Amino acid sequence: MNSNCIGGVLHLRLLLFSTSHRILAAHPKISASRRLSTATMGSRSQLPSPPLAEKVKHEMELFGDVRVDNYYWLRDDSRKNPKVISYLQQENAYTEAMMSGTKKFEDEIYAEIRGRIKEDDISAPLRKGPYYYYSRTLEGKEYVQYCRRPIPNRDAPSSVHDTMPTGPDAPPEHVILDENVKAQEHGFYRIGAFKVSPNHKMVAYAEDTKGDEIYTVYVIDAETQAPIGKPLVGVTSNLEWAGNDALVYITMDEILRPDKAWLHKLGADQSNDSCLYHEKDDMFSLGLEASESEKFLFIASESKITRFVFYLEVSKLEEGLKVLTPRIIGIDTSVSHRGNHFFIQRRSDEFFNSELLACPVDNTSATTVLIPHRASVKIQYIKLFSDHLAVSEREEGLPKITVYHLPEVEEPLINLEGGKSVQFIDPVYSVDLSVSQFSSTILRFSYSSLRMPNSVYDYDMNTGESVLKKIETVLGGFDASNYVTKRKWATASDGTEIPISIVYQKNLVKLDGSDPMLLYGYGSYEICIDPDFEASRLSLLDRGFIFAIAHIRGGGEMGRQWYENGKFLKKKNTFTDFISCAEYLIEQKYCSKEKLCIEGRSAGGLLIGAVLNMRPDLWKAAVAGVPFVDVLTTMLDPTIPLTTSEWEEWGDPRKEEFYFYMKSYSPVDNVKAQNYPDILVTAGLHGKYKDQYNT
């Protein structure tokens, strides 16, 4: 098979179009497309026959419109139906047989990717309290160790030049928890939360051994690993310490919606835990955060357009939750704490890119605007310190960090002035604020670009000095200077300019239209697909591929309105934007139709399904990972986890206008007899919901 086919896997024809609830494997209109190129796989007589799903007519009628789904029976919420499992096994076997000719090449690519990974490595140590905390990976091991090491001179103020001592004379390393040991007894293993108690004596961690994102929480002694109390079962990974003697955690209802917040006293039985709040509106789900000061916990109830917050004072748990921001439809708030004030990030239809307010802890209705709303700058989130405020923002599609010095705690908070922006070097990049010490002047952030491996920096908020603390090691002779990153703009059908991030190996590409390209897209939930580094992507770039990201509407790259203009009755902008980006890249000779491959996951898989139906002629091949393609049937079924809250994202098809609009783009409702490109679709048997955040 041609090595220009993304690891040799893109010549697979359409085997199955699926969500985690639906697999449409033998649609009569696409059965003719379910073959591999005989030029690459030998004569047709040598190919195995694809499995054919039984056709069982299932009619669905609404607003006088009748839809027929002959494969509705493949929905199996139990994941145990022998007939469904058997069919999936047949599909997997067929895929293995069809891909057998590329096995050697796949192994070569896998070895190549693995060969770039420094297996014996540690994360950038984070100074917190009397310890440096970090994680370690070991050669030949799949999982991490959670470690810490005492700080020799813990009373010395922190500095960007701090270095954790190692070697025989350094304080000894202590492994708090080894995932490799824990995972030995399970086919699947994941730790979703690892929380150290404020006094550093205990750790609470959430463990998933099935892959269904339903966790068990264990509390252990940080030194001896001895269990403390009984585990908490059937919970989410969203938990926080409430002082050193209690935990707050979240549980879910029967459709896996986070709906209850609980207070657990260490040593008590879970059945005796007190429910702090029960959100009964199935449009809303609960979230939980601790303030950077560790003095408050915030429990938020949120839908897609509304978020309101309660606070719990850690030193006064007996007082329970108190309202901080009221429930007002269309108002979205997030909160933090420092000194005598709560800091409130507030978004509304009027202030769509958010404003930042402050209010006294003892008078939460007396708000003061610290950072006013700006139409061109979106506030993403904030990090508070004892003397500083760091704000993550977006402007012109790029993330930025702005740091403000705060007045003394006793002084009034009136406004913020003199914010300093951190400078970055690449034209397109990704940057995120990391966990930092509240009491320090050091801001930690992670930076990467399409050519620059992930790098952890400590930034002195007083002096503006940045010091690199850790850069991802890429083995195999990687040299960032061999790669070029660019940002271009495509013009959409309505005149909107759509940003595109591009990277390629400068010594290999010709930029004459003959280069192969992989174009990635998402475009939903206001999620930003920022251009970051993936070592595995080098296997494409070093074979002459160009990689690009289309930052289409429905995402959040260009601010809140960018998202609003790609949802509800404007959702098709997401798809036409992607097509416009592809046409621009072809016009500018970055690729051709014959060399253009596309990829998207989850809601990005919806994008892929839609553009395949709309413009099948434009693509050579497509990869759709766990794609959300049965939009209309899914959104009409409130028993599917989180469907009700999704009505604020996609629209409620129980209303006629939304029904017919969604039907007009829903991928499985628009498959027709036409020449589709090569498609690979992957799906998972287990999945809590439509995996919208898995991008």
Side-chain angles (χ1 to χ4, degrees):
M1 183 172 285
N2 189 336
S3 64
N4 281 343
C5 291
I6 310 183
V9 300
L10 286 185
H11 270 289
L12 190 60
R13 291 285 186 181
L14 184 55
L15 296 181
L16 45 100
F17 236 158
S18 67
T19 66
S20 58
H21 299 284
R22 188 69 46 82
I23 297 189
L24 203 66
H27 197 293
K29 295 179 181 177
I30 60 175
S31 59
S33 296
R34 303 177 62 188
R35 304 182 185 92
L36 288 179
S37 167
T38 55
T40 59
M41 294 300 294
S43 68
R44 189 168 299 175
S45 61
Q46 296 174 317
L47 297 177
S49 298
L52 295 177
E54 180 184 356
K55 294 172 68 174
V56 180
K57 188 175 182 180
H58 178 81
E59 290 189 353
M60 296 167 283
E61 182 176 358
L62 191 62
F63 304 119
D65 180 61
V66 178
R67 293 182 300 129
V68 177
D69 185 350
N70 292 321
Y71 307 100
Y72 190 88
W73 66 269
L74 280 164
R75 170 176 173 172
D76 174 25
D77 291 350
S78 72
R79 277 77 164 172
K80 295 177 181 179
N81 185 323
K83 193 174 178 181
V84 173
I85 298 297
S86 173
Y87 177 72
L88 294 178
Q89 290 170 341
Q90 292 175 52
E91 282 286 5
N92 285 339
Y94 176 64
T95 302
E96 289 296 319
M98 297 296 277
M99 299 302 298
S100 60
T102 67
K103 186 65 168 63
K104 182 179 178 181
F105 183 59
E106 290 176 31
D107 291 343
E108 175 188 327
I109 293 292
Y110 176 76
E112 187 178 287
I113 292 173
R114 184 159 185 167
R116 296 192 190 97
I117 300 171
K118 187 177 187 298
E119 295 188 40
D120 188 1
D121 203 3
I122 70 168
S123 63
L126 174 68
R127 179 171 173 169
K128 190 172 183 182
Y131 297 98
Y132 287 107
Y133 286 90
Y134 54 97
S135 61
R136 177 184 295 282
T137 54
L138 304 173
E139 187 172 356
K141 301 289 187 180
E142 294 186 38
Y143 298 92
V144 304
Q145 295 177 330
Y146 296 88
C147 308
R148 71 182 183 188
R149 193 186 294 264
I151 298 173
N153 185 9
R154 66 183 64 177
D155 295 326
S158 58
S159 163
V160 292
H161 300 289
D162 283 345
T163 302
M164 183 180 73
T166 57
D169 298 328
E173 173 183 274
H174 175 65
V175 178
I176 303 172
L177 188 69
D178 190 339
E179 284 188 0
N180 297 287
V181 175
K182 295 287 183 182
Q184 288 177 357
E185 302 173 4
H186 308 284
F188 175 91
Y189 192 82
R190 181 176 185 268
I191 287 182
F194 184 87
K195 303 282 185 176
V196 180
S197 62
N199 62 9
H200 301 271
K201 292 182 178 181
M202 294 168 289
V203 167
Y205 67 94
E207 179 182 271
D208 175 11
T209 59
K210 229 178 129 181
D212 58 5
E213 299 182 44
I214 299 175
Y215 291 85
T216 299
V217 171
Y218 298 88
V219 179
I220 61 172
D221 184 285
E223 286 294 325
T224 67
Q225 298 184 353
I228 298 173
K230 296 179 180 179
L232 305 173
V233 299
V235 304
T236 71
S237 62
N238 203 348
L239 74 148
E240 297 288 351
W241 285 95
N244 295 306
D245 302 312
L247 291 167
V248 173
Y249 62 92
I250 305 289
T251 59
M252 298 178 287
D253 63 12
E254 63 277 1
I255 62 168
L256 305 182
R257 175 181 64 94
D259 71 324
K260 291 180 181 177
W262 301 84
L263 177 65
H264 172 73
K265 299 291 182 66
L266 294 190
D269 192 271
Q270 186 176 0
S271 62
N272 295 323
D273 291 351
S274 57
C275 183
L276 294 169
Y277 181 70
H278 180 196
E279 179 53 77
K280 297 179 181 179
D281 188 336
D282 59 10
M283 295 288 286
F284 286 77
S285 298
L286 295 187
L288 170 67
E289 294 178 275
S291 68
E292 293 93 337
S293 66
E294 298 184 343
K295 295 184 182 298
F296 291 90
L297 296 184
F298 302 114
I299 294 173
S301 182
E302 60 183 319
S303 69
K304 300 297 179 185
I305 62 172
T306 303
R307 192 174 194 268
F308 57 100
V309 183
F310 304 91
Y311 68 91
L312 179 68
E313 190 166 0
V314 170
S315 63
K316 300 176 182 178
L317 296 178
E318 68 281 356
E319 294 185 2
L321 293 185
K322 297 179 181 179
V323 175
L324 179 49
T325 56
R327 175 174 178 155
I328 303 174
I329 300 302
I331 304 295
D332 183 312
T333 56
S334 300
V335 297
S336 301
H337 166 260
R338 176 256 189 185
N340 302 324
H341 290 85
F342 291 123
F343 286 62
I344 304 170
Q345 182 182 331
R346 183 170 67 184
R347 184 200 57 75
S348 65
D349 289 342
E350 181 182 4
F351 302 127
F352 51 84
N353 274 338
S354 296
E355 58 182 348
L356 184 65
L357 315 173
C359 67
V361 170
D362 58 3
N363 186 6
T364 57
S365 62
T367 58
T368 300
V369 176
L370 298 180
I371 301 178
H373 173 261
R374 295 154 295 172
S376 61
V377 181
K378 175 188 172 184
I379 299 175
Q380 298 194 112
Y381 58 91
I382 69 171
K383 288 278 185 185
L384 271 172
F385 297 80
S386 54
D387 296 318
H388 294 87
L389 166 69
V391 185
S392 173
E393 300 173 312
R394 302 192 72 87
E395 186 172 17
E396 286 295 305
L398 293 176
K400 57 187 290 190
I401 299 172
T402 305
V403 175
Y404 298 88
H405 191 277
L406 296 174
E408 296 294 328
V409 169
E410 298 79 14
E411 296 180 12
L413 267 173
I414 301 174
N415 54 35
L416 299 176
E417 297 179 353
K420 293 188 297 185
S421 294
V422 183
Q423 301 300 309
F424 306 109
I425 57 176
D426 289 293
V428 289
Y429 55 86
S430 175
V431 63
D432 290 297
L433 302 181
S434 303
V435 176
S436 301
Q437 269 204 117
F438 176 73
S439 60
S440 80
T441 62
I442 309 303
L443 169 68
R444 174 161 288 188
F445 64 85
S446 296
Y447 172 89
S448 76
S449 72
L450 291 171
R451 69 177 191 94
M452 187 64 66
N454 186 62
S455 307
V456 177
Y457 287 87
D458 278 352
Y459 175 82
D460 189 314
M461 292 182 285
N462 285 330
T463 67
E465 180 183 12
S466 291
V467 175
L468 178 65
K469 308 304 290 185
K470 170 78 176 178
I471 185 168
E472 177 187 344
T473 301
V474 182
L475 304 178
F478 168 75
D479 183 351
S481 66
N482 287 330
Y483 303 87
V484 175
T485 61
K486 293 181 178 179
R487 183 159 73 147
K488 298 294 182 180
W489 299 80
T491 303
S493 53
D494 62 359
T496 302
E497 295 293 303
I498 313 297
I500 307 172
S501 299
I502 300 171
V503 63
Y504 55 82
Q505 221 278 29
K506 66 181 182 182
N507 301 314
L508 296 178
V509 303
K510 305 179 188 67
L511 300 180
D512 61 359
S514 66
D515 302 305
M517 170 177 277
L518 175 61
L519 177 63
Y520 185 88
Y522 189 75
S524 292
Y525 298 103
E526 203 178 358
I527 289 175
C528 305
I529 306 299
D530 285 323
D532 58 6
F533 185 83
E534 291 286 347
S536 58
R537 192 183 295 136
L538 297 175
S539 291
L540 278 179
L541 302 180
D542 290 349
R543 285 173 171 80
F545 260 83
I546 299 172
F547 176 76
I549 303 170
H551 302 287
I552 50 186
R553 281 175 284 186
E557 287 90 337
M558 297 285 286
R560 178 73 182 190
Q561 288 184 316
W562 197 251
Y563 164 60
E564 298 285 355
N565 287 327
K567 64 181 289 196
F568 283 156
L569 300 174
K570 297 179 181 179
K571 187 61 198 171
K572 289 184 184 178
N573 284 337
T574 302
F575 317 133
T576 54
D577 283 359
F578 192 81
I579 290 170
S580 295
C581 289
E583 291 174 333
Y584 170 84
L585 292 165
I586 292 169
E587 176 188 325
Q588 297 297 313
K589 297 191 179 302
Y590 283 97
C591 62
S592 64
K593 291 182 181 180
E594 294 73 27
K595 295 288 185 74
L596 178 55
C597 309
I598 56 176
E599 182 182 8
R601 288 183 54 80
S602 193
L606 162 64
L607 163 71
I608 299 303
V611 301
L612 284 171
N613 284 329
M614 294 168 69
R615 287 294 306 274
D617 63 299
L618 202 53
W619 332 104
K620 171 62 178 175
V623 178
V626 289
F628 174 40
V629 291
D630 200 356
V631 181
L632 192 53
T633 301
T634 301
M635 288 291 99
L636 281 167
D637 188 347
T639 68
I640 295 175
L642 302 192
T643 288
T644 51
S645 65
E646 296 285 286
W647 288 333
E648 289 184 347
E649 175 72 25
W650 308 99
D652 184 352
R654 298 174 305 172
K655 301 174 183 177
E656 186 172 359
E657 183 180 26
F658 283 110
Y659 175 90
F660 285 104
Y661 186 79
M662 293 167 75
K663 184 183 178 183
S664 72
Y665 69 76
S666 176
V668 298
D669 291 293
N670 288 280
V671 174
K672 53 181 176 284
Q674 56 183 344
N675 188 21
Y676 285 91
D678 301 336
I679 305 169
L680 173 67
V681 182
T682 62
L685 186 61
H686 288 281
K688 189 172 70 174
Y689 42 91
K690 290 183 294 299
D691 194 23
Q692 67 262 38
Y693 297 114
N694 191 347
T695 59

